[in-house]
Amino acid sequence: MAEVEETLKRIQTHEGVIGTIVVNAEGIPIRTTLDNSTTVQYAGLLHQLTMKARSTVRDIDPQNDLTFLRIRSKKHEIMVAPDKEYMLIVIQNPSE
Amino acid sequence: MRVCVQILRQFCFNSATKRIVEIPDLQWEKSQLNRNVACRFFFIWFPDLTELKLPVSDPNPSLCVCVLLTLQWDTDPSVLQLQSDSELGRKMQRLGATKITQVDFLPREVVLYCKETQTPITGTEEEDDEEIIDLEPALESDQQEEVDNKETREGYPGRELTEEEKQQILKSEEFLSFFDCSIRVMERALAEQSDIFFDYSGRDLEDKDGELQGGSSLSLSRLFYDEHWSKHRVITCLDWSPQYPELLVASYNNNEDAPHEPDGVALVWNMKFKKNTPEYVFHCQSPVVAVGFARFHPNLVVGGTYSGQIVLWDNRSHRRTPVQRTPLSAAAHTHPVYCVNVVGTQNANNLITVSTDGRMCSWTQPISTPWDFMELVYNKSKPVAVTGMAFPTGDVNNYVVGSEEGTVYTASRHGSKAGICEMFEGHQGPVTGLSCHNAVGPVDFSHLFVTSSFDWTVKLWSTKHNKPLYSFEDNADYIYDVMWSPVHPALFAAVDGMGRLDLWNLNSDTEVPTASVTVEGASALNRVRWASGGKEVAVGDSEGRLWIYDAGELAVPHSEDWARFARTLMEIKANRGDAEEEGLVELTP
């Protein structure tokens, strides 16, 4: 348990990381380093997007499945590691 | 909650006539009613929940009064209307307009689920579900404060989980295994910092950090250090993975500053990705003094500890503690185990371990008791305090051991001469490192081995002669480890207590090392290991730091190196023969 906290803290202190969120299968955030409203927003939106991405991948090939999702925007990079039960979201500001 | 009752109609029961008669204008006093309410109250609920009948206390049982009342819940006690009479309530209730406060029950909860379906759903269906879900959170979050429902945990994004539920999830087994895998991937992704949007036209090219300057000298490639697990611990052993050339395992001693942390730690580091955290963390109760990847079992890491226990870690399980360990018994080891080695072939392999009391044990999987053990004694008298062991390439029976007295012995596992065979004297201090020649090429040098010792020298030996062939004396401190290059026949690396890493190329020079570098911080270097490709060398120091150096051009063998080394050897032997008069004792291998 403490290892989970320690690992999350270590990721948080990584260069450029803005926030880390752990979300369960229903889109409810379990652990977060951001404030509540941002967390809820990110969790909800990214959950839907991940579901959509996953269904896209599986529509193209039913044997396939989504393993990692990376969204690069002008300001941030959002990385999502999805799983059957949970999802790990990290928002990073990549250094130029 | 107070009851506000309003009298609709009053009745009384005339026991004489045995009839219920309606009485107009019955008056009730409040106090009477309260008392009555406490003792003799019974309700008959009518279906519309508004009327009830109640009898009133009657000292005269022949007469009882029933009232039809409406009942309204009201929180305001001043609204209490009813007054009951102390006797029989003959006074009539004046009906008039009353203050009625309406309180509604909250609407029933509508339970909606947004679970995924197993079959792949089409795009349009997904859209509808999402719309519904979008509407719900807005409503629900308003009512969240009023509703206290710990049990109902519906799947709305925006719904909160309680703290206990979150803690429970964080402790659960599936979460931990998910977290273990995804955090690994995430850290690798975070560490990759390549900028795919780089525009070469706009600005000057910058030198990227970390680019290897592959040159003819020794250059630092990586530094592996973990704040939590490496700090204040000495690196006691290193091993590269035979299966994945980018993985290496390092074992660490105990941390005196942190007595509550486990004494023995083994970390598996990954060279391939830029992340600076260990790939796997293993620990156990006793300081680990020897570690190695099990050669024919790619998931297992073997450790020898200070207490004599052999421990086995498995990277398939999510546990950081050993999955198997040997019992602490007299049948196994009771002294620190400084050498662990897997010898044999894919189908017939054994784990050989040697401890400092001279006992050598062979183990098979699963390790519980050794199937074979042997005491290494010289001349049947004194046991050999083994500090290092090496098997020549391709040999599974004969091996070389170094001892604390400074003598080196050859020994064999089986056969008529099982046990210690020959003694090699030469060092004046304990032998710290031992390495058999293992570069395979046109000429066979497998009879050569090098040893390092506290006497500031590295000595080159052949198993055919019981005196050293050559002694390398360029160092000014204890030499802690030495290893032949796996690809270059004339190259070996040595590390000493002043933080120096030396590469000796015997084809170029036998007096001084060909390349030498001192690590930053000048801590003592405890272990050196070449990677299996021979291009990188890993060095562990006494501060828990693991340095990876790139040997560059130096480590690349050329085809004539073998022939040159054969000539070098002959020169060495010739020089030796001139220098020493007592002559070499030729030993039969």
Side-chain angles (χ1 to χ4, degrees):
Chain A
M1 246 311 298
E3 293 158 14
V4 170
E5 297 296 337
E6 190 191 312
T7 316
L8 282 174
K9 208 165 39 157
R10 193 178 67 217
I11 293 226
Q12 186 60 30
T13 53
H14 201 280
E15 188 191 344
V17 170
I18 299 171
T20 312
I21 308 172
V22 180
V23 176
N24 79 345
E26 291 141 10
I28 307 174
I30 301 175
R31 259 280 167 269
T32 174
T33 60
L34 300 165
D35 58 279
N36 198 29
S37 54
T38 320
T39 301
V40 165
Q41 190 181 28
Y42 267 104
L45 293 168
L46 283 168
H47 177 70
Q48 296 169 28
L49 184 64
T50 312
M51 292 301 134
K52 183 71 170 172
R54 179 176 267 154
S55 73
T56 307
V57 168
R58 289 176 104 160
D59 277 352
I60 295 171
D61 177 10
Q63 314 281 335
N64 207 351
D65 194 11
L66 182 68
T67 53
F68 200 77
L69 188 63
R70 215 163 167 170
I71 305 165
R72 189 70 189 266
S73 71
K74 276 196 227 166
K75 295 186 191 167
H76 307 310
E77 176 161 18
I78 304 173
M79 290 177 275
V80 180
D83 186 69
K84 275 200 329 276
E85 295 272 323
Y86 305 96
M87 196 185 312
L88 175 66
I89 302 168
V90 174
I91 303 124
Q92 190 192 23
N93 189 0
S95 55
E96 290 298 333
Chain B
M1 204 171 303
R2 311 246 180 191
V3 169
C4 155
V5 293
Q6 182 188 17
I7 298 183
L8 292 177
R9 297 154 72 176
Q10 298 97 37
F11 300 86
C12 81
F13 177 71
N14 191 331
S15 55
T17 60
K18 298 274 190 291
R19 281 183 199 278
I20 300 178
V21 186
E22 184 167 6
I23 305 170
D25 292 327
L26 202 61
Q27 291 283 353
W28 298 82
E29 274 175 17
K30 183 162 141 185
S31 58
Q32 188 78 1
L33 181 66
N34 281 345
R35 208 179 58 215
N36 295 339
V37 165
C39 339
R40 295 186 229 299
F41 213 78
F42 68 83
F43 287 85
I44 302 171
W45 288 97
F46 288 84
D48 61 354
L49 305 180
T50 52
E51 292 180 339
L52 61 88
K53 250 196 310 201
L54 47 85
V56 176
S57 76
D58 187 15
N60 183 355
S62 65
L63 207 62
C64 82
V65 182
C66 303
V67 200
L68 273 180
L69 308 165
T70 54
L71 237 149
Q72 283 167 354
W73 301 106
D74 189 25
T75 52
D76 187 3
S78 66
V79 184
L80 201 60
Q81 297 270 311
L82 221 47
Q83 292 165 347
S84 73
D85 195 52
S86 56
E87 291 178 352
L88 289 172
R90 286 201 187 91
K91 300 197 211 122
M92 302 294 215
Q93 170 69 23
R94 273 221 133 8
L95 286 180
T98 64
K99 178 168 160 257
I100 298 169
T101 314
Q102 292 276 352
V103 175
D104 288 329
F105 286 102
L106 289 169
R108 288 186 62 168
E109 301 275 334
V110 176
V111 176
L112 274 183
Y113 289 93
C114 76
K115 297 263 192 261
E116 261 181 62
T117 53
Q118 277 214 331
T119 53
I121 40 179
T122 63
T124 48
E125 279 177 357
E126 189 72 0
E127 300 266 299
D128 291 340
D129 287 345
E130 284 162 7
E131 278 168 21
I132 297 168
I133 292 162
D134 279 339
L135 290 173
E136 285 302 329
L139 291 172
E140 290 301 330
S141 48
D142 292 336
Q143 293 168 349
Q144 217 163 300
E145 285 82 3
E146 289 159 331
V147 178
D148 174 34
N149 52 348
K150 280 192 181 184
E151 288 79 28
T152 57
R153 182 161 61 87
E154 281 96 18
Y156 303 127
R159 232 333 157 220
E160 301 255 326
L161 292 178
T162 64
E163 203 49 47
E164 295 120 43
E165 279 162 342
K166 289 184 190 176
Q167 291 295 330
Q168 217 167 349
I169 293 176
L170 287 173
K171 285 197 193 95
S172 69
E173 194 55 46
E174 315 97 48
F175 181 81
L176 287 174
S177 68
F178 147 77
F179 196 73
D180 197 34
C181 300
S182 65
I183 214 71
R184 213 181 288 282
V185 173
M186 190 61 81
E187 281 198 294
R188 289 181 196 162
L190 276 174
E192 305 295 324
Q193 291 288 358
S194 54
D195 183 12
I196 57 175
F197 294 102
F198 193 84
D199 181 9
Y200 285 94
S201 64
R203 29 187 183 149
D204 301 330
L205 279 172
E206 297 164 18
D207 284 341
K208 288 206 177 54
D209 290 332
E211 229 175 80
L212 299 176
Q213 309 292 331
S216 61
S217 64
L218 213 45
S219 61
L220 177 64
S221 163
R222 296 288 295 268
L223 164 63
F224 288 121
Y225 180 73
D226 185 74
E227 264 308 311
H228 183 203
W229 292 107
S230 310
K231 208 167 186 184
H232 298 307
R233 294 180 192 256
V234 178
I235 294 190
T236 50
C237 193
L238 293 174
D239 191 32
W240 290 86
S241 165
Q243 196 193 22
Y244 296 109
E246 65 265 16
L247 290 182
L248 79 149
V249 64
S251 63
Y252 297 78
N253 216 344
N254 58 330
N255 184 349
E256 273 132 22
D257 289 345
H260 300 293
E261 296 278 328
D263 275 348
V265 168
L267 302 178
V268 177
W269 298 94
N270 191 337
M271 284 268 299
K272 195 168 168 188
F273 303 109
K274 296 199 186 72
K275 71 168 191 160
N276 273 326
T277 48
E279 197 66 38
Y280 295 102
V281 177
F282 299 124
H283 48 73
C284 71
Q285 284 311 105
S286 168
V288 183
V289 289
V291 80
F293 280 97
R295 243 173 82 205
F296 301 105
H297 305 274
N299 287 308
L300 300 180
V301 177
V302 186
T305 63
Y306 196 75
S307 63
Q309 251 187 346
I310 315 292
V311 291
L312 219 60
W313 289 284
D314 192 332
N315 73 349
R316 287 169 294 199
S317 80
H318 294 289
R319 289 168 52 190
R320 292 179 166 190
T321 49
V323 293
Q324 282 184 56
R325 68 188 92 197
T326 61
L328 285 166
S329 76
H333 294 289
T334 48
H335 278 66
V337 177
Y338 276 103
C339 328
V340 292
N341 236 325
V342 176
V343 296
T345 58
Q346 174 72 40
N347 295 321
N349 51 71
N350 287 311
L351 175 65
I352 311 283
T353 57
V354 192
S355 59
T356 52
D357 59 353
R359 176 177 280 241
M360 186 191 85
C361 293
S362 306
W363 312 79
T364 51
Q365 273 264 53
I367 49 173
S368 53
T369 49
W371 69 269
D372 183 26
F373 63 87
M374 156 182 348
E375 300 286 343
L376 295 172
V377 283
Y378 181 67
N379 270 346
K380 299 182 178 37
S381 56
K382 50 178 189 130
V384 174
V386 175
T387 54
M389 169 178 81
F391 278 82
T393 331
D395 201 335
V396 298
N397 194 23
N398 303 306
Y399 55 94
V400 191
V401 289
S403 74
E404 275 174 7
E405 289 100 28
T407 40
V408 183
Y409 302 90
T410 50
S412 18
R413 285 172 61 203
H414 311 291
S416 56
K417 294 188 345 174
I420 298 280
C421 306
E422 304 297 339
M423 177 170 89
F424 297 77
E425 276 179 331
H427 277 297
Q428 269 107 36
V431 174
T432 51
L434 186 63
S435 175
C436 289
H437 194 277
N438 47 15
V440 178
V443 189
D444 176 37
F445 294 115
S446 57
H447 57 97
L448 293 178
F449 60 94
V450 283
T451 55
S452 63
S453 154
F454 275 10
D455 65 357
W456 298 9
T457 64
V458 174
K459 296 204 194 303
L460 172 67
W461 310 74
S462 163
T463 49
K464 300 178 192 155
H465 306 110
N466 71 341
K467 294 278 179 222
L469 292 179
Y470 196 82
S471 179
F472 302 94
E473 285 165 23
D474 190 58
N475 293 81
D477 201 344
Y478 295 165
I479 306 186
Y480 282 104
D481 201 8
V482 69
M483 186 171 175
W484 282 106
S485 160
V487 292
H488 196 294
L491 187 66
F492 65 87
V495 288
D496 73 356
M498 292 202 312
R500 252 177 70 178
L501 165 66
D502 297 324
L503 288 191
W504 295 78
N505 186 339
L506 299 178
N507 283 345
S508 343
D509 199 341
T510 54
E511 294 290 322
V512 287
T514 320
S516 176
V517 71
T518 308
V519 299
E520 290 167 36
S523 47
L525 297 176
N526 204 19
R527 278 296 198 186
V528 69
R529 280 284 177 272
W530 286 93
S532 49
K535 292 207 186 65
E536 282 125 4
V537 56
V539 187
D541 73 2
S542 56
E543 303 292 321
R545 289 176 300 194
L546 184 57
W547 308 84
I548 311 283
Y549 280 90
D550 186 26
E553 286 300 314
L554 287 175
V556 177
H558 304 286
S559 46
E560 69 266 12
D561 275 324
W562 272 268
R564 276 177 69 185
F565 190 49
R567 283 198 299 272
T568 317
L569 263 187
M570 285 199 312
E571 282 170 24
I572 292 174
K573 280 189 199 158
N575 291 342
R576 251 191 110 266
D578 293 342
E580 291 189 9
E581 291 303 317
E582 57 255 59
L584 305 165
V585 176
E586 288 277 339
L587 302 167
T588 49

